[in-house]
Amino acid sequence: MRADTSKIVPVADRIIAQADAKTRIAAAAAALVDSGETLMVNGGSTTLAFAKMLPPDRSLGLITNSVSILDQVDTTAFTNVYAIGGELLSISGVMIGPVVFPHSDRIHVDTAVIGVRAVHPTRGISTATVAEAAMISDMMRAARRTIVVADSTKFWQSA
């Protein structure tokens, strides 16, 4: 990994950057979610904007590793909320660990909403750490479909 792309920017700084674009992305992604779905949402500034954009009357379930989502979103608006544990990556405000629950071989959800560090047409999506990449892979594998939320600064990048 090149040194200039390896620095993890604190989530508080990322929330401010491209805020208008993230709001538009969040609204578009929220419009794709149907009532009654169970969502798995990873941590990030755009996924936080997405979670805040969800209307409270859609009977949604939420599974997340994001401390920010759990702290800043009205969790009472969801039918159920599950927090995925692991090691706290405090600079990003996420827990990193395996996507499993006790007595369950596999989690199945309707939609994974994934924020990423980079989107490249031939290399795909990528993120800052190997552990986070493994967790995102688990989240996507558990979902019937995946929505990647990323602003244009992430395009043609690799991490």
Side-chain angles (χ1 to χ4, degrees):
M1 186 181 308
R2 292 191 327 253
D4 63 337
T5 62
S6 63
K7 182 180 176 201
I8 299 174
V9 178
V11 70
D13 294 343
R14 286 185 281 134
I15 288 170
I16 299 166
Q18 302 292 322
D20 290 340
K22 289 174 184 180
T23 299
R24 291 191 308 274
I25 293 164
L32 297 173
V33 175
D34 293 324
S35 291
E37 284 195 47
T38 297
L39 308 173
M40 186 173 298
V41 183
N42 77 329
S45 55
T46 309
T47 54
L48 174 60
F50 163 81
K52 288 179 175 181
M53 192 68 62
L54 293 168
D57 60 346
R58 291 172 97 179
S59 301
L60 300 172
L62 174 66
I63 302 170
T64 188
N65 69 324
S66 172
V67 175
S68 299
I69 288 175
L70 294 171
D71 182 51
Q72 296 181 38
V73 173
D74 179 11
T75 56
T76 63
F78 295 91
T79 56
N80 48 29
V81 177
Y82 296 95
I84 301 171
E87 178 183 358
L88 176 64
L89 184 59
S90 58
I91 194 165
S92 294
V94 297
M95 304 298 288
I96 301 295
V99 181
V100 296
F101 286 114
H103 312 295
S104 170
D105 292 342
R106 191 138 163 86
I107 299 169
H108 298 283
V109 299
D110 298 298
T111 303
V113 180
I114 304 296
V116 296
R117 177 140 179 192
V119 179
H120 193 277
T122 58
R123 296 183 195 123
I125 61 173
S126 54
T127 192
T129 69
V130 172
E132 190 172 23
M135 187 170 206
I136 288 172
S137 179
D138 286 348
M139 289 176 160
M140 292 171 64
R141 196 172 12 264
R144 180 178 50 80
R145 69 175 177 159
T146 298
I147 299 170
V148 174
V149 291
D151 67 71
S152 63
T153 64
K154 312 283 179 79
F155 297 167
W156 293 95
Q157 303 295 316
S158 187

